[in-house]
Amino acid sequence: MQQQQYRITLLPGDGIGPEIITVAVDVLKAVGQQLNLNFEFQEAPIGGAAIDKTGNPLPDETLAICRNSDAVLLAAIGGYKWDTLPSNQRPERGLLGLRAGLGLFANLRPAKILPQLINASTLKREVVEGVDIMVVRELTGGIYFGQPKGIFATETGEKRGVNTMAYTESEIDRIGRVAFETAQKRKGQLCSVDKSNVLEVSQLWRARITQLASEYPNVTLSHMYVDNCAMQLLRWPKQFDTIVTGNLFGDILSDAAAMLTGSIGMLPSASLGSSGPGVYEPVHGSAPDIAGQDKANPIAQVLSAAMMLRYGLNQPQAADKIETAVLQVLDQGYRTGDIMSEGMTLVGCRAMGDVLLKALENPQS
């Protein structure tokens, strides 16, 4: 069988990023050897690391390298070191620029309770057992990108901060179709989240999503206000299958959904566009407080690599192998500090990578 070639751009970023992406690369190399997949890795700076090197959180060269790849594997950006910079020069601007530069308008963030970690959740077992949610978040519009934005002086000299939440019909339709198609592959239930009782932009959102529903008769559509959705995620999360919402609401709700699982360190995400490479990254941040201490949980990064294989490279068998290895390692009782519980074996970032490689080499039936 002819070897398949893939060019992967690595963006280690800041904090624990370099540690966890090293584990993911080792896992990809191992599964590649098993399935005759060749990965050509190229690394580029982003976020704080890019600021330190070039003064720009997203250098032009980094964006060009990403565009010239089959997929982008991102670790984490940001940290206390850069918090005093002007808002338009902070590491997070690199991430926003990457999404815009690659046209990544759809963010898929799963929140699935793994049976091995059900006791890691802060919620009761009966509340979270069986939870399997996919949050589809619009990524390149809304309040993070709307104009005007900034801090301005008024006629009285008082400063006024302004951000604009705006969506066009085409932007809503585009993310709506991704959400309906995602729901079709799951349980066929889609909940659209907005704030249409007070926001005109949400009124347009609800109208367009409702109109799209006629194209997907096998999907059951419901609507929910964002404040109620936040409450329901804690009260009865099993009612949700697929959630679609705008940029700001999706940012908040996907983090809330992530914590149902007990640790944000366990969850991957995929950011996709109409064409070109997608970006695959953990949900968690750069955790600068534990950077360089071999304490980071690399599983979300590894599962992000699995999402990359599944959604970006159309290699579901390779994705299955990685996901199975993760479950096997958890069954064997290995835990990093963030998911540690009584009777389990505490390991660091590098050691977790080692046991994942062993699980890939010797899968249990």
Side-chain angles (χ1 to χ4, degrees), residues 150-162:
I151 299 175
F152 308 100
T154 65
E155 294 178 356
T156 64
E158 183 181 22
K159 290 184 178 179
R160 181 171 181 259
V162 176

Side-chain angles (χ1 to χ4, degrees), residues 266-293:
M266 289 294 299
L267 300 176
S269 74
S271 298
L272 310 174
S274 299
S275 61
V279 173
Y280 304 85
E281 60 180 305
V283 169
H284 61 70
S286 62
D289 54 320
I290 61 169
Q293 299 177 39

